[in-house]
Amino acid sequence: MHVIGGTASTALAERISRELSNAPFGIPFTKRFPDDEMYVRVSGRLEGEDVVIVQSTRTDSDVLELMLLEDAVREAGARRSFVVVPYFGYARQDRRFFPGEPVSARTLCRHVELEADAVVTVDLHSSQTLTQFTKPAFEASGIPAIARLLRDRPLDVLVSPDKGGVDRVRRMAQLLDKPWFAFEKRRIDSEHVELSLPPTLPIPLEGVHVAIIDDVISTGGTIVEAAKVLKKRGAQGIVAACIHGLFLKDAFERIKAVVGDVYSTDTLGNPAEKASVAPDIAQILERLVAG
Ligand code: R5P
């Protein structure tokens, strides 16, 4: 098996190759033509091989690079290609919220799977999105990796900033054997949210250690607001953890100003990257290759 790391996921791709018994690892050559069109070229002996392409789709340019890499790998004569998208961009637009909108997550699924024999991703915003793929698609989870980090910290209760994260926080709570609850979230605009506590809490918040668990940290607005509410209710120690850390603009600094620590997996490079999903992805790939 060969592993190719696209520009959005080079470091994680290398970690995955190491997990796959040091599978040959390559970084494609990429450049832009004067008119800004993208050019990619893969190297190595890929003919007749199983090839894994690792590329998060955070930016539109990442999406295009992935599509070109898939075609390049096919042209190189690969036997099968497995596409790993650690951070699956556009996953939050998983339905039509207002008339006239696309279901962007579905569009991405259709394009990402185009030349792939199977797709592997990590903690989709909603696992339902997996059903949009017509090829075999698998979802690894960053929750166990984050749970391993939290296990060594004082921790009394886990919190999801919204109802959409209930499954995630429940899974983490099971692994750590802790109580949990979810805020009610109302989004005011793309950077501001309003959070309200549920009418009953599993434990009183005065003096306790809390971990806020979210799938994505983007502008940081959600975590900052959650930390403010928890502090107001007397929480003593607050940490924030996410699977996918986008940390746009000064999000990391703003969050660090209100919580004790911030944790993220390595689906995207960021300053909070403290746990790797490479072993979880490699496990799925090993099963795919064997099957
Ligand atoms: C939204 O539903 C997601 O689960 C996250 O809560 C959201 O993307 C976080 O965004 P931000 O950091 O901009 O508040």
Side-chain angles (χ1 to χ4, degrees), residues 180-261:
W180 64 273
F181 66 89
F183 278 104
E184 190 74 56
K185 175 160 111 179
R186 193 174 73 82
R187 189 161 275 290
I188 300 164
D189 58 37
S190 55
E191 299 198 16
H192 300 94
V193 297
E194 205 175 73
L195 297 178
S196 39
L197 287 166
T200 51
L201 294 169
I203 58 167
L205 294 178
E206 286 79 25
V208 301
H209 290 90
V210 188
I212 310 165
I213 314 294
D214 210 347
D215 59 337
V216 181
I217 295 181
S218 180
T219 67
T222 302
I223 297 290
V224 169
E225 191 54 31
K228 274 190 199 158
V229 177
L230 292 167
K231 261 193 192 156
K232 215 184 258 176
R233 284 294 289 260
Q236 189 206 330
I238 303 172
V239 296
C242 67
I243 308 298
H244 309 293
L246 290 162
F247 297 105
L248 305 181
K249 294 190 263 181
D250 59 349
F252 183 71
E253 289 70 26
R254 288 195 305 114
I255 292 171
K256 276 294 282 176
V258 290
V259 305
D261 222 332

Side-chain angles (χ1 to χ4, degrees), residues 140-210:
S141 176
I143 293 289
I146 296 284
R148 281 192 290 277
L149 289 175
L150 293 181
R151 191 162 276 143
D152 301 330
R153 294 193 60 104
L155 185 60
D156 300 301
V157 65
L158 299 161
V159 183
S160 167
D162 54 46
K163 293 275 189 287
V166 160
D167 286 348
R168 204 170 300 118
V169 75
R170 192 187 285 131
R171 174 137 192 246
M172 183 83 86
Q174 274 163 359
L175 291 172
L176 296 171
D177 195 21
K178 301 287 175 197
W180 64 273
F181 66 89
F183 278 104
E184 190 74 56
K185 175 160 111 179
R186 193 174 73 82
R187 189 161 275 290
I188 300 164
D189 58 37
S190 55
E191 299 198 16
H192 300 94
V193 297
E194 205 175 73
L195 297 178
S196 39
L197 287 166
T200 51
L201 294 169
I203 58 167
L205 294 178
E206 286 79 25
V208 301
H209 290 90
V210 188

